[in-house]
Amino acid sequence: MLAGDADRERAVNVLKDAFTEGRLRQGEYEERIGRAYAARTYSELDELTADIPRSGPAQPYPVPATFKPLPRPMPPYPQPYPYGYPPPPKTNGAAIGALVCSLVGSFSFGLGSAGAIALGHVAKKQIKERGDQGDGMATAGLVIGYLGLAFWILVWVLSAVGS
C-alpha cells in the first residue's frame, strides 16, 4: 500500500527519537532519513523502523481498588419531531358545537340548548377516548345548555299555567 507524506513524517519522527536516545549512529540515522523520504510504500517504512523499539507513553499509575469512574453523560434525547415540539392535540369538534349551540339556545326557544346537551355528552366521551382538547368547552356547553333548557322549560310552564 502506498505511503503518504504524513506516514513518512511519522517514520522520520521515530528515527529522530531513536537518534536522540542514542539508538542510532549519525551515519545510520542520515542514511535511514534519506530512505524514509524516498519510501513509496508502508513496507519500506516498516523496514526502516522495525528494529527500533517504540517509546510510548509511560506506564499508567496503578488504579486503586476503590476507584469508581464517573458516569458518562447521557446522550441528548432524540427528537421525535424534526422541527421541535410535537403538534398539540386537536380540539374536539363536538365540544365546539356544544358551546356554540348553548350560546344560540337562548334565542331558539331551548332547541339550541337541547343540541348543546347532546353534543356536550358526545364530546366528553370522544375526548376521553381520543385524548382531544376541548373538555372545558364541552363542560361549558353542558352547563349553559342545561341552564338554558331549564329556563325555557320554566318559561313554558309559567306561560301554560298563566293562560
Side-chain angles (χ1 to χ4, degrees):
M1 187 177 294
L2 293 177
D5 289 338
D7 302 314
R8 286 187 275 280
E9 287 299 322
R10 278 192 287 275
V12 166
N13 287 336
V14 169
L15 294 172
K16 284 181 188 177
D17 290 343
F19 178 69
T20 57
E21 292 171 357
R23 298 181 191 280
L24 295 176
R25 293 185 312 268
Q26 178 74 33
E28 187 179 10
Y29 167 71
E30 291 172 356
E31 186 260 330
R32 286 192 190 195
I33 292 290
R35 286 178 45 202
Y37 282 122
R40 300 259 310 137
T41 63
Y42 283 113
S43 62
E44 293 173 1
L45 292 174
D46 289 340
E47 287 175 19
L48 295 173
T49 59
D51 60 339
I52 299 172
R54 305 282 184 205
S55 59
Q59 291 295 324
Y61 293 109
V63 178
T66 59
F67 175 74
K68 292 181 184 175
L70 294 174
R72 290 186 296 161
M74 291 183 58
Y77 292 107
Q79 289 289 335
Y81 298 95
Y83 302 108
Y85 296 106
K90 68 180 187 86
T91 303
N92 188 286
I96 296 171
L99 185 59
V100 170
C101 285
S102 69
L103 296 175
V104 173
S106 60
F107 303 111
S108 62
F109 304 104
L111 294 177
S113 296
I117 293 168
L119 285 173
H121 285 292
V122 169
K124 287 281 200 175
K125 181 180 176 193
Q126 289 178 351
I127 289 169
K128 188 180 288 186
E129 290 172 355
R130 300 180 193 167
D132 293 345
Q133 288 185 343
D135 188 52
M137 282 191 273
T139 302
L142 282 170
V143 169
I144 297 171
Y146 277 122
L147 290 175
L149 189 61
F151 171 76
W152 282 108
I153 289 175
L154 183 65
V155 169
W156 292 335
V157 168
L158 290 177
S159 65
V161 171
S163 44

